[in-house]
Amino acid sequence: MYQRRNLKMGSIKQDAAIGFIGTGVMGQSMVKNLIKAGYKLHVYSRTKSKTDELVEAGAVWQESPAALASEVDVVITMVGFPSDVEEVYLGEQGVVHNAKPGTYFVDMTTSSPSLAKKIEEEAKKVGSYSLDAPVSGGDVGAKEARLSIMVGGDQDVFEAMKPIFEVMGKNIVHQGKAGAGQHTKMSNQIAIASNMMGVCEALIYSKKAGLDPSTVLKSIESGAAGSWSLSNLGPRIIDGNFEPGFFVKHFIKDMGIAIEAADEMGLQTHGLKLAKSLYEQLKEMGEENSGTQALYKIYE
């Protein structure tokens, strides 16, 4: 058993090397913000071209998660599905068993609470630290470094990582033990699921009523109906912009995790299940790589 070093708030220094795995829509911006803050970045993505711009900005490309883990003090992941998370952390070329003792692992993917607990257990066995820290805020929040970050894991590990979180987000909350961050993100996704149906229905209703949806939006987004989705995705819907800030396929994945967790607790989630069924119809229409606002097409 490895001995883990004692932690103090802010113990991760400015010259720490950070490895970032998963440089998609949100990961790209998160890495850029870390580079701007002065951290040394190492990057890996299954599609190497997704890291080209980051390498030009000063990041170092690594050939595999294992190679990356051996070079850094902190590993941050932002990948697609729980199966990807498990492979990146616990697979043969995974980061947990190829990193130096004392490495910090931070999974910012929306994933399974039970997997977050498993990763923490394995990290502790090799003398390292682990947090689950899923985010909300989409592509805009990632770009503008104002993500909401929901963190599960030991309090002292959270305090050590907080300076890095503050480079990527604004609303940073420690929710509890391992898995708590993921459970919080499930609450977030449950709220969004029903809300997105409401946003789409409100906009299509205004259009069918012969109103200008943009003018209607001005009235309702600042009142009781206001929400992030209404203010940020409503204009995209009106403009016919269905590019992904967050993919339909990933939202379906998130809703599946939430339904499974809710079922385990004996909880009925009627709105969530209806939303998932509609998004699955949307996927069958070939829209799995569109943004979540493409749900509007179901109504249109």
Side-chain angles (χ1 to χ4, degrees):
M1 180 70 71
Y2 291 100
Q3 292 296 314
R4 304 203 300 174
R5 64 178 182 265
N6 292 327
L7 294 175
K8 294 180 182 179
M9 181 182 285
S11 61
I12 297 177
K13 296 184 173 145
Q14 188 71 23
D15 63 353
I18 299 174
F20 204 106
I21 298 174
T23 55
V25 173
M26 294 177 67
Q28 284 265 344
S29 295
M30 295 161 78
V31 170
K32 287 176 183 177
N33 287 330
L34 289 166
I35 292 172
K36 287 177 187 175
Y39 289 102
K40 301 172 184 175
L41 266 293
H42 295 247
V43 293
Y44 170 79
S45 176
R46 285 182 297 191
T47 306
K48 187 178 179 181
S49 60
K50 289 184 178 180
T51 67
D52 289 347
E53 190 176 339
L54 302 175
V55 171
E56 287 178 13
V60 178
W61 161 258
Q62 296 291 346
E63 294 287 343
S64 68
L68 177 144
S70 67
E71 297 290 335
V72 300
D73 306 295
V74 178
V75 175
I76 299 174
T77 51
M78 189 71 168
V79 295
F81 296 86
S83 57
D84 299 320
V85 174
E86 186 160 20
E87 181 181 355
V88 164
Y89 278 91
L90 305 177
E92 187 175 332
Q93 288 294 307
V95 297
V96 169
H97 296 288
N98 288 283
K100 301 170 287 189
T103 299
Y104 297 80
F105 302 117
V106 184
D107 183 32
M108 304 188 83
T109 314
T110 299
S111 183
S112 159
S114 60
L115 179 56
K117 294 176 184 177
K118 183 178 179 181
I119 291 170
E120 186 193 58
E121 290 169 3
E122 293 302 311
K124 285 183 175 180
K125 288 178 185 178
V126 296
S128 292
Y129 315 101
S130 175
L131 295 172
D132 50 290
V135 302
S136 180
D139 57 335
V140 175
K143 188 177 294 184
E144 297 179 357
R146 52 180 179 81
L147 291 168
S148 177
I149 305 176
M150 316 157 207
V151 189
D154 291 346
Q155 178 73 38
D156 53 358
V157 182
F158 167 72
E159 296 294 352
M161 275 297 304
K162 198 171 180 183
I164 291 176
F165 288 143
E166 288 172 342
V167 173
M168 298 180 285
K170 296 297 181 190
N171 182 26
I172 303 158
V173 182
H174 181 239
Q175 295 289 344
K177 295 180 179 179
Q182 297 296 354
H183 277 303
T184 303
K185 184 60 186 289
M186 291 304 104
S187 297
N188 183 84
Q189 301 304 73
I190 290 168
I192 288 174
S194 293
N195 182 237
M196 277 305 303
M197 291 189 293
V199 169
C200 293
E201 289 173 12
L203 293 178
I204 195 70
Y205 177 90
S206 68
K207 184 177 178 180
K208 293 292 185 182
L211 303 173
D212 180 346
S214 295
T215 305
V216 171
L217 189 60
K218 289 178 183 177
S219 290
I220 68 175
E221 68 176 337
S222 60
S227 70
W228 187 95
S229 295
L230 189 63
S231 294
N232 289 273
L233 299 182
R236 297 191 194 187
I237 290 172
I238 293 167
D239 291 341
N241 176 3
F242 300 108
E243 289 300 308
F246 188 65
F247 288 106
V248 164
K249 62 185 178 184
H250 290 160
F251 195 36
I252 292 172
K253 173 262 296 184
D254 293 356
M255 289 186 283
I257 295 170
I259 288 170
E260 182 179 350
D263 287 347
E264 288 173 0
M265 294 184 279
L267 176 66
Q268 291 295 322
T269 51
H270 305 292
L272 176 63
K273 288 179 179 178
L274 175 57
K276 185 170 183 285
S277 71
L278 292 176
Y279 272 101
E280 285 171 340
Q281 289 180 44
L282 189 63
K283 179 181 176 181
E284 290 171 6
M285 291 164 55
E287 299 285 346
E288 67 172 11
N289 290 313
S290 296
T292 52
Q293 71 274 21
L295 183 65
Y296 185 79
K297 294 185 178 184
I298 289 281
Y299 297 93
E300 196 173 39

